[in-house]
Amino acid sequence: MCRSARSVPLGRIVVLALGTAALLGGCAVTGPDAEVTPTAESVYPQLRTYPDVPVLENVRYGTADEVPLLLDVCLPEEASEIDDDTPPRPAIVSVHGGSWARGDKANLNWRSVCQWLASEGFVAASVNYRLAPTYTFPAQIDDVRQAIGWLREPDQVDRYAIDPDRIALFGGSAGGNLAALLGTEGTGDWTEGTRVAAVAELSGPVDLTAAGQRTPDFEPVQLSYLGCPELAECEVAHDASPYYAIDPSDPPFFVGHSVDERIPVAQSEQFVKELRRHGVDTTFVTVEGTMHSIAMLDDPMRERIIAFYREKLADPVDAVVAEPLVE
């Protein structure tokens, strides 16, 4: 069963028989003798395959260290033929997990996430970023920033029918850390630069400093990503931690976490407490068990997240404004 800070039941959650490493890695593992092409459902039973959702693969959004930076664009089915009459849509950038060191936008599970978001009427962009340990912080967040800026350029706004004022982030695990970090950094209007209008993150480690709650087996992962020999003297850990970047100008957050997983739920509890202390609109959902990141995405959880995005990314033009009665 799930517990929500807003007391909204999520129903029974399916427990997956998958190891923590596979969940963090976001990699589909299949047998060498498999005769059937794996689908999102066969790897993560709570996910779905969306054969009718168009995917534009390996679109280049920038370059860093002479490395091409690529993303996939997943389009709402009805927007696959974009013309001047196509209404602008809110966009959601999906940031994959994998301990900042592995994972890929085209993995079955993260492809499913991209197409799921598009199937709900959003333009979704599933982004790849440079990986540790070859590239350490801040390379990864620099790449996600670049993707947001690229989507706001007039060429992309026109090409994919994006509303540049309604761009959001979704991330899980290491991708949740990056989504939360970009959501909390900076100040000012959510419609400009690399600011975003909403963030949904699952199982994100949000405090990478020595003070943060963590498990012993995850500390080497953090150190590899941060490029530090030990956390006690790792100055960049503070800069890589969304928890320390929160301010009242931050956009609405949806935070999901399992109560007994590799990333201690106390991280999200403290993060949510700090967001709310600063007056940030925050939805917090906890799930019983050990499921990590997008392993939590059963039907009820997906419905909660989509409801969050629909509310926070609603077109102001469509808002109903009550006019005063004229006597």
Side-chain angles (χ1 to χ4, degrees):
M1 299 294 291
C2 300
R3 296 180 292 143
S4 167
R6 292 189 177 179
S7 301
V8 179
L10 291 180
R12 186 182 180 93
I13 303 295
V14 178
V15 178
L16 300 180
L18 292 174
T20 302
L23 291 174
L24 283 172
C27 298
V29 181
T30 58
D33 299 324
E35 296 180 358
V36 179
T37 301
T39 64
E41 295 96 326
S42 68
V43 179
Y44 286 75
Q46 77 283 33
L47 298 182
R48 300 289 180 269
T49 299
Y50 301 86
D52 296 328
V53 173
V55 180
L56 308 177
E57 297 183 304
N58 296 323
V59 180
R60 186 167 178 162
Y61 70 87
T63 303
D65 294 323
E66 300 183 355
V67 176
L69 301 176
L70 306 176
L71 54 76
D72 293 342
V73 178
C74 300
L75 294 171
E77 185 178 355
E78 62 272 27
S80 57
E81 297 294 334
I82 296 173
D83 55 34
D84 292 341
D85 296 326
T86 304
R89 312 277 185 138
I92 301 174
V93 174
S94 172
V95 189
H96 70 77
S99 300
W100 302 283
R102 56 187 181 274
D104 189 272
K105 61 182 175 53
N107 285 347
L108 283 174
N109 44 0
W110 286 97
R111 171 62 57 79
S112 173
V113 168
C114 184
Q115 291 180 294
W116 157 56
L117 295 170
S119 76
E120 296 289 348
F122 303 98
V123 176
S126 187
V127 61
N128 269 358
Y129 49 86
R130 287 170 290 168
L131 299 175
T134 303
Y135 302 98
T136 56
F137 178 86
Q140 294 76 7
I141 190 65
D142 285 345
D143 295 349
V144 179
R145 286 193 200 104
Q146 190 169 168
I148 297 292
W150 179 85
L151 278 177
R152 275 211 168 95
E153 293 175 357
D155 285 349
Q156 280 62 255
V157 167
D158 293 341
R159 181 176 297 118
Y160 305 119
I162 294 171
D163 183 344
D165 292 346
R166 295 186 290 158
I167 295 179
L169 282 163
F170 175 87
S173 191
N177 163 273
L178 294 171
L181 185 59
L182 187 53
T184 54
E185 72 175 15
T187 58
D189 199 318
W190 304 335
T191 67
E192 298 178 354
T194 59
R195 296 284 275 168
V196 294
V199 177
E201 63 98 343
L202 305 176
S203 304
V206 291
D207 186 354
L208 303 186
T209 70
Q213 294 280 345
R214 63 192 182 281
T215 53
D217 65 330
F218 193 67
E219 184 169 329
V221 173
Q222 293 179 215
L223 292 173
S224 175
Y225 165 57
L226 298 171
C228 293
E230 57 184 55
L231 286 179
E233 298 179 1
C234 186
E235 295 182 3
V236 297
H238 183 279
D239 296 336
S241 301
Y243 178 78
Y244 300 104
I246 298 168
D247 69 70
S249 75
D250 292 338
F253 265 78
F254 182 105
V255 178
H257 212 112
S258 292
V259 298
D260 193 26
E261 62 158 285
R262 189 181 190 189
I263 306 300
V265 69
Q267 285 221 14
S268 283
E269 290 171 343
Q270 292 299 314
F271 185 53
V272 167
K273 181 178 180 180
E274 191 69 3
L275 285 166
R276 289 176 173 165
R277 188 177 74 82
H278 283 84
V280 178
D281 180 359
T282 307
T283 300
F284 183 34
V285 176
T286 57
V287 177
E288 296 293 342
T290 61
M291 289 176 295
H292 177 73
S293 183
I294 58 175
M296 287 184 275
L297 283 179
D298 68 346
D299 288 342
M301 179 66 92
R302 287 199 302 270
E303 290 170 5
R304 285 295 306 274
I305 292 172
I306 292 302
F308 166 80
Y309 281 132
R310 291 199 195 287
E311 177 185 350
K312 307 311 176 186
L313 300 177
D315 189 344
V317 175
D318 295 334
V320 177
V321 179
E323 297 183 359
L325 295 175
V326 178
E327 297 182 356

